[in-house]
């Protein structure tokens, strides 16, 4: 069992979403949590398109989410929302998949104009699955250095924001799970 399940909704490889989530994964692991990382690209397109909620991969994901202490979910902004392929995956999970779990939402967009996508798209999705969304982090594409995946964030204020959200996430898990 892993403490934290990380879900990436980016269909691109490599992507700033994956780079950001993997950076946050390292920070969470430094807090002493074990993690399981899933990319939307890990799942069969046929399973997603045909709604095979009982496929082996989807069942394993659902089981790992049910046993996790917290969830991190990230997506690039597509048309002012999360990706459709992430929605296809989420639709295959049980109705209360995130029940009672702290969830750290992450979104990456092309500009600050899409900043509210995290509040108006991703957080409601988390709530529908009965998760407890934290404030979350919105990145602008240019804030993520794809050439330096080990250290993709250079802006000191953003580094502090990310670290603050990781701390809040860790504290929420500790409070929830003792």
């Amino acid at each position: 069992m892993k403490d934290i399940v990380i879900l990436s909704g980016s269909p691109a490889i490599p992507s700033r979403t994956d780079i950001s989530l993997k950076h946050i994964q390292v920070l969470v692991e430094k807090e002493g949590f074990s993690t399981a990382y899933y990319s939307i690209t890990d799942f069969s397109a046929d399973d997603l398109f045909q709604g095979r909620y009982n496929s082996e991969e989807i069942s394993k994901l659902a089981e790992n989410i049910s046993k996790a202490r917290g969830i991190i979910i990230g997506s690039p902004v597509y048309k002012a929302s999360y990706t459709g392929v992430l929605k296809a995956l989420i639709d295959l999970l049980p109705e209360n998949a995130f029940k009672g779990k702290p969830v750290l939402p992450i979104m990456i967009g092309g500009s600050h104009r899409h900043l509210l996508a995290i509040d108006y798209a991703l957080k409601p999705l988390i709530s529908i699955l009965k998760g407890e969304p934290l404030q979350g982090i919105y990145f602008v594409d240019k804030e993520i250095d794809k050439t330096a995946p080990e250290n993709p964030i250079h802006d000191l204020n953003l580094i502090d924001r990310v670290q603050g959200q990781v701390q809040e996430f860790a504290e929420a898990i500790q409070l929830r799970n003792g």
Side-chain angles (χ1 to χ4, degrees), residues 7 14 77 119 144 158 172:
L7 291 173
V77 176
D119 290 320
I144 307 301
L158 186 54

Side-chain angles (χ1 to χ4, degrees), residues 24 71-74 102-106 126 134 136-137 165-166 169:
I24 292 168
I71 299 160
I72 300 171
I73 185 169
V103 182
L104 179 59
I106 309 292
I126 293 165
L134 300 179
I137 307 164
Q165 283 295 290
V166 167
F169 182 58

Side-chain angles (χ1 to χ4, degrees), residues 51-65:
R52 293 186 188 135
Y53 65 90
N54 58 353
S55 78
E56 187 176 327
E57 292 83 16
I58 301 294
S59 295
K60 182 178 178 185
L61 172 64
E63 181 180 342
N64 285 338
I65 287 173

Side-chain angles (χ1 to χ4, degrees), residues 41-57:
T41 60
D42 295 335
F43 300 94
S44 158
D46 285 342
D47 288 348
L48 296 174
F49 184 73
Q50 295 180 16
R52 293 186 188 135
Y53 65 90
N54 58 353
S55 78
E56 187 176 327
E57 292 83 16

Side-chain angles (χ1 to χ4, degrees), residues 19-40:
I19 290 168
S20 302
L21 289 172
K22 287 181 180 180
H23 176 69
I24 292 168
Q25 179 181 22
V26 169
L27 297 176
V28 166
E29 288 173 350
K30 285 181 182 177
E31 294 291 324
F33 296 103
S34 61
T35 62
Y37 192 97
Y38 294 92
S39 169
I40 196 67

